[in-house]
Amino acid sequence: MSVTDLGEGVEITFEDGKKQITPVVLGADGYRSVVRRAIAPDHPYARYAGYLVWRGLVEERTLKRPVPWPSDGGLWIEIIDGYRLVAATLPGRDGSLVPGHRQITFAWFDVHKEQLLRRTGCLTLDGHIVGSLARGMIDESVRLDLASRARAIWPEQWLEAVLTGISSPETLSGAPIAEYKPEQLVRGNLAILGDAAHVISPMTGRGLLTGMEDASTLAQLLASRNPKGSFASVLSSYEQARLPFIQGLVNHSMRISAEYRRRAGG
Ligand SMILES: Cc1cc2nc3c(=O)[nH]c(=O)nc-3n(C[C@H](O)[C@H](O)[C@H](O)COP(=O)(O)OP(=O)(O)OC[C@H]3O[C@@H](n4cnc5c(N)ncnc54)[C@H](O)[C@@H]3O)c2cc1C
């Protein structure tokens, strides 16, 4: 699929070769956005930030013992040997906060998997992220290696939950973290928002919210548009409103990532 701004409108070319003309295209199509490629053809892809995040969500009732952690949520963060573990208790699927009936979530940041990402085709030779280690895609050898590392470094409190999450290919996923700093959000009648516009580290805790703010700004500008005015001028106002904050946020993300890589020795 591709999009081309024609000045008076946008031409969309679908995978099957069919074409459609539309007044405007708003690309909320994620970190590998095709709309971004048309807006910034010289700078189309997000770059690997140097680490991936192993993620798991575990039913507490499958553990031998409940996690000794308050029922009212909270977040636990630790860095050991350069690895970082973020873990928390969540309500059970039925809403229960009772220990033994909750869910345990963890995110394990890992700077040592560049070769794995290259081998699995997630990371290109020139450092762009083009895929992710989705559930069901992670080899047993990788999971065994993680389990052995977990036993060596993660505290008793979270260890069983992490080992349980790692043991099943269906619960473990690995997300390579990418970053993208836009020079522009708009070209004519094309605009990008959300991860299509900016990709940042989850350590900022701000990716989803920033995308929602983009959408809200765009919706308000479109709703108050002069019916005789052009879409391109509305999109240009959107870019003026959002670009400085977004660029600052990506800079912030890059600083956090650099600091983590430095501490992790990656
Ligand atoms: C490990 C990890 C942890 C995170 N933690 C947090 C957090 O704690 N807080 C937070 O705020 N953010 C967090 N984020 C970031 C957050 O997940 C993203 O910022 C958010 O999901 C981006 O939403 P989006 O709709 O822009 O993009 P996406 O969620 O990627 O959605 C894009 C959609 O577009 C679809 N699409 C793609 N191409 C096409 C096409 N050609 N045609 C039609 N559809 C298409 C895709 O299928 C997808 O459904 C985290 C991200 C990661 C990787």
Side-chain angles (χ1 to χ4, degrees):
M1 184 182 166
S2 64
V3 294
T4 312
D5 182 42
L6 303 174
E8 291 299 302
V10 179
E11 181 179 71
I12 307 174
T13 306
F14 295 97
E15 295 296 325
D16 61 5
K18 287 194 183 129
K19 291 181 189 288
Q20 186 178 334
I21 305 283
T22 178
V24 71
V25 167
L26 307 177
D29 50 342
Y31 78 104
R32 293 177 66 195
S33 168
V34 295
V35 183
R36 185 202 293 148
R37 284 176 223 168
I39 290 179
D42 298 332
H43 178 36
Y45 299 116
R47 292 196 70 81
Y48 183 46
Y51 51 96
L52 69 75
V53 184
W54 301 108
R55 285 190 295 177
L57 182 65
V58 174
E59 297 288 333
E60 199 175 26
R61 63 183 160 67
T62 64
L63 308 180
K64 288 192 199 93
R65 282 190 303 277
V67 169
W69 188 256
S71 287
D72 55 356
L75 195 65
W76 181 90
I77 302 176
E78 179 70 285
I79 296 187
I80 299 176
D81 287 352
Y83 296 97
R84 167 181 248 188
L85 186 66
V86 180
T89 57
L90 296 176
R93 285 176 196 276
D94 62 356
S96 175
L97 298 178
V98 175
H101 299 269
R102 302 167 299 183
Q103 299 179 93
I104 312 300
T105 180
F106 67 85
W108 175 349
F109 292 73
D110 182 343
V111 291
H112 303 290
K113 295 296 181 291
E114 190 163 325
Q115 290 313 314
L116 173 67
L117 291 172
R118 289 197 192 283
R119 211 167 59 235
T120 49
C122 295
L123 178 60
T124 65
L125 281 178
D126 45 2
H128 298 129
I129 291 295
V130 291
S132 175
L133 298 168
R135 289 189 184 90
M137 275 180 55
I138 300 160
D139 285 352
E140 188 178 14
S141 61
V142 174
R143 288 184 291 109
L144 287 174
D145 182 56
L146 284 175
S148 129
R149 179 77 51 184
R151 283 190 195 91
I153 58 176
W154 298 134
E156 198 60 34
Q157 183 183 11
W158 298 102
L159 182 59
E160 195 192 351
V162 173
L163 289 175
T164 303
I166 289 169
S167 67
S168 161
E170 298 312 318
T171 52
L172 186 69
S173 63
I177 302 305
E179 284 167 331
Y180 181 83
K181 184 161 105 177
E183 296 301 327
Q184 58 192 103
L185 304 176
V186 168
R187 179 181 288 260
N189 295 299
L190 302 172
I192 41 178
L193 60 156
D195 277 19
H198 40 76
V199 189
I200 53 177
S201 169
M203 287 194 244
T204 62
R206 201 84 179 36
L208 182 64
L209 177 62
T210 305
M212 305 286 257
E213 289 168 350
D214 298 341
S216 166
T217 303
L218 203 41
Q220 285 170 39
L221 289 167
L222 286 167
S224 57
R225 172 177 89 96
N226 174 353
K228 292 189 182 137
S230 69
F231 278 115
S233 69
V234 177
L235 299 187
S236 171
S237 303
Y238 159 71
E239 181 175 76
Q240 280 173 34
R242 295 299 292 161
L243 191 57
F245 172 76
I246 286 171
Q247 289 180 326
L249 184 63
V250 182
N251 286 338
H252 172 60
S253 172
M254 288 171 168
R255 269 204 294 266
I256 293 176
S257 292
E259 175 63 12
Y260 169 58
R261 287 194 307 270
R262 190 188 63 72
R263 290 178 69 179

